[in-house]
Amino acid sequence: MYTQGLDQQGNKGEDPEAVESAELLAAFQARIDAEAKIEAKDWMPEAYRKTLVRQISQHAHSEIIGMQPEGNWLTRAPNLRRKAILLAKVQDEAGHGLYLYSAGETLGTSRDQMVAELLRGKAKYSSIFNYPTLTWADIGAIGWLVDSAAIMNQIPLCRCSYGPYARAMVRICKEESFHQRQGFEIMLFLSRGNDAQKEMAQDALNRWWWPSLMMFGPGDENSKHSAQSMAWKIKRFSNDELRQKFVDVTVPQAEFLGLRIPDDDLEIDEKTGHYNFGEIDWQEFYDVLAGNGACNRQRLAMRQKAHDDGSWVREAARAYATKHAAKKAA
Amino acid sequence: MTDKNWPLYEVFIRSKSGLSHRHAGSVHAADDQMALDHARDVYTRRSEGVSIWVVRSSEIVASDPEDSSALFEPAADKIYRHPTFYEIPDGVENL
């Protein structure tokens, strides 16, 4: 994936959508239908490019912002083993963000542009990271629930029609599995601990369960981008399908832990083998998305501060590189 | 303050000796050494490599997908370049 094409899009001086003839669009769709991968320099409809830039940058921002709720517990991890593991996990999240920005840049939008959109509050990131991590058990619940939900979403993306995104997802999915297991292990230790520890685990599950279900996005009847993304094979399963799958695999895990899922309507449907679950509070989802979750402002302010605090480092590195390049040339 | 982009480098990793380097992704860095350092941190956290190449993305010369039929299709009708083109009678061995 070579990205010399950065920023070129704006310079063509013509409306790219105007030159999208019916033949070109049909040929593109035929390639997608034949399961061919689209690569960075291949022709693609502008709407396909825009959809991918939006999705990949949101995904990258989620990884980067996602470092904050967990970073909150780095200095207070209960022991050195847990601390080393959490440090490795947070470092992975940074790595995932970078793989994804790298994939996003192949579409002609620079990382700086994507980051600027985040800092301006224009680009979205996953609503889940606007919830606070109040206790150590939250670190367990995030790994177990949030990373499981992320894996459900991401495994199908490994087969997404856009090559650079699919390849980044393969790498990410390999690493997510460690995240999920370390989270489950934390929950396992707490749920086998004393009463206070069990209570802490249950409390974390109570707070993270519903937001985790919301991670799959609105129900299929309200999902505005879904149909086109499915046709382009960016998306392979609907939001509701993935949510159901998540509930089906997670409920038995909660039972193993001896924890109760906070949903009075939860019951297995003997006929289908799937779990029926209660109504999701979508108002909460839209409120958090609109910027009114518990931590939205804090997350963006911290990202902005990190960006500003790093600016002298970026500047110094550039000055050093320029000086040495000049010395070499002399 | 001007916050100019660090240049982009493409990263190639040799996963173990005996295998060739393979494209892994890209990193931004101010200079070559920093590109190597970043590539190491981003792409080899789990022993994925024993050697890294980085090269400025702007230095890569790539073929244009629009030329791909002119470049690659002529090979398709030269099936006699493949050993399976030739019919060898039963009983002939070591061929």
Side-chain angles (χ1 to χ4, degrees), chain A residues 1 3 92 102 105 175, chain B residues 4 8 10 26 28 45-46:
Chain A
M1 46 180 151
T3 50
D92 275 353
S102 162
E105 287 197 300
E175 301 181 352
Chain B
K4 220 184 81 199
L8 193 66
E10 299 301 324
S26 60
H28 284 279
R45 288 193 303 285
R46 288 179 175 76

Side-chain angles (χ1 to χ4, degrees), chain A residues 55-97:
Chain A
Q55 180 170 337
I56 296 173
S57 68
Q58 279 179 8
H59 196 160
H61 300 329
S62 301
E63 303 283 354
I64 297 298
I65 296 287
M67 289 194 280
Q68 292 185 34
E70 296 187 300
N72 182 36
W73 281 90
L74 275 176
T75 55
R76 290 174 289 152
N79 56 46
L80 190 57
R81 176 178 180 272
R82 294 285 179 209
K83 185 172 182 166
I85 291 170
L86 187 57
L87 202 55
K89 178 172 193 279
V90 173
Q91 194 188 13
D92 275 353
E93 309 297 358
H96 296 179

Side-chain angles (χ1 to χ4, degrees), chain A residues 1-132:
Chain A
M1 46 180 151
Y2 313 122
T3 50
Q4 299 97 319
L6 282 185
D7 300 332
Q8 272 178 3
Q9 268 177 280
N11 304 332
K12 284 183 191 154
E14 58 188 56
D15 177 8
E17 289 184 23
V19 296
E20 292 183 355
S21 66
E23 295 96 281
L24 272 173
L25 290 171
F28 180 79
Q29 191 60 48
R31 286 189 68 193
I32 300 265
D33 293 342
E35 296 288 331
K37 295 286 180 202
I38 307 302
E39 293 296 338
K41 297 178 98 192
D42 294 346
W43 185 86
M44 61 185 84
E46 272 313 294
Y48 178 83
R49 185 187 299 277
K50 275 186 202 154
T51 299
L52 278 169
V53 170
R54 191 189 65 240
Q55 180 170 337
I56 296 173
S57 68
Q58 279 179 8
H59 196 160
H61 300 329
S62 301
E63 303 283 354
I64 297 298
I65 296 287
M67 289 194 280
Q68 292 185 34
E70 296 187 300
N72 182 36
W73 281 90
L74 275 176
T75 55
R76 290 174 289 152
N79 56 46
L80 190 57
R81 176 178 180 272
R82 294 285 179 209
K83 185 172 182 166
I85 291 170
L86 187 57
L87 202 55
K89 178 172 193 279
V90 173
Q91 194 188 13
D92 275 353
E93 309 297 358
H96 296 179
L98 291 172
Y99 307 155
L100 287 162
Y101 285 129
S102 162
E105 287 197 300
T106 63
L107 292 158
T109 303
S110 73
R111 186 173 80 191
D112 281 6
Q113 284 171 298
M114 292 186 257
V115 171
E117 295 276 287
L118 171 68
L119 295 178
R120 281 201 300 139
K122 278 207 67 186
K124 300 263 184 261
Y125 55 87
S126 180
S127 58
I128 195 83
F129 301 116
N130 291 313
Y131 290 84

